[in-house]
Amino acid sequence: MLDRTLHPNSQTLLSAWQRMNTSDNDVPHAPTTRDHPDLVSRLFVIQDAGDSDWVFKTAGDQIQSSLGRQLADHNFLSFWAGHDRAMLELLLKSVTEERLPGVVRGRGESLTGERVDIELILAPLAQPPHQKGGARSLGLYQTLGGEFFLKGRPVWRHRVTAIFPPDSGVAEPRLKLVASNDID
């Protein structure tokens, strides 16, 4: 995936998700939340409630401040309109089916026209056996360049600029070619 072009918070979340979903020996040392203290306030969890609703179950203080409201039980997809909403819905379906994270780049805009670039990470969460309901995803809402571009106003509209779906490519077997000039 875009590892070198992602925001450091996004890289941290993706490496944490990868560590949760693989054995300890398979993942090299990666950044942790201690390295990025503002990360937790930008996290959220959404759950598929059916009928094109992905409701916020929890949301950090920074994302709620950026969006200007309490997000519990609010539909995540309502922040997107038209084709952008349809693309996000398909991405969430893909993330759920592939069991791999996806990335969204977009632009947030305030009512007065201030804009900020954003990066969203959507990563599937395991479904505990005792929990009822649809699939859940862990998300990160990261502004690129800082919230000061919004001049203290909340984002009310989002536009997608790029979507990077889960990289579900199956690793192909690798062959090692060995040549020998020895003739017996």
Side-chain angles (χ1 to χ4, degrees), residues 106-183:
R107 183 167 295 124
E109 185 176 327
S110 72
L111 281 171
T112 53
E114 287 81 18
R115 294 179 179 179
V116 67
D117 290 330
I118 60 165
E119 186 170 81
L120 286 171
I121 304 296
L122 297 167
L125 290 172
Q127 188 79 3
H130 66 280
Q131 182 180 10
K132 295 181 181 176
R136 298 177 311 141
S137 283
L138 174 64
L140 170 69
Y141 185 93
Q142 178 64 55
T143 55
L144 303 175
E147 285 86 12
F148 65 89
F149 289 121
L150 295 172
K151 299 181 183 172
R153 295 176 177 89
V155 172
W156 73 279
R157 179 171 62 181
H158 291 89
R159 303 295 277 165
V160 171
T161 57
I163 291 183
F164 302 93
D167 184 8
S168 59
V170 178
E172 295 181 22
R174 296 183 178 196
L175 298 175
K176 185 175 183 179
L177 180 61
V178 178
S180 175
N181 290 331
D182 294 337
I183 300 176

Side-chain angles (χ1 to χ4, degrees), residues 69-91:
R69 64 189 84 173
Q70 295 293 317
L71 296 173
D73 297 323
H74 190 81
N75 185 5
F76 167 78
L77 293 174
S78 69
F79 290 103
W80 308 87
H83 296 297
D84 292 338
R85 181 181 174 129
M87 287 189 288
L88 261 289
E89 192 172 351
L90 289 172
L91 176 66

Side-chain angles (χ1 to χ4, degrees), residues 5-66:
T5 62
L6 292 174
H7 188 279
N9 282 346
S10 299
Q11 291 175 345
T12 301
L13 177 66
L14 288 172
S15 66
W17 181 88
Q18 187 178 19
R19 284 191 305 269
M20 290 186 315
N21 289 285
T22 59
S23 67
D24 292 337
N25 298 334
D26 295 341
V27 181
H29 175 69
T32 66
T33 55
R34 285 186 300 268
D35 302 325
H36 303 279
D38 63 329
L39 174 69
V40 173
S41 66
R42 297 172 186 279
L43 295 176
F44 61 91
V45 173
I46 55 176
Q47 184 170 12
D48 184 2
D51 200 30
S52 299
D53 280 348
W54 280 82
V55 295
F56 284 95
K57 291 309 201 179
T58 60
D61 292 338
Q62 187 59 49
I63 182 177
Q64 293 188 105
S65 174
S66 293

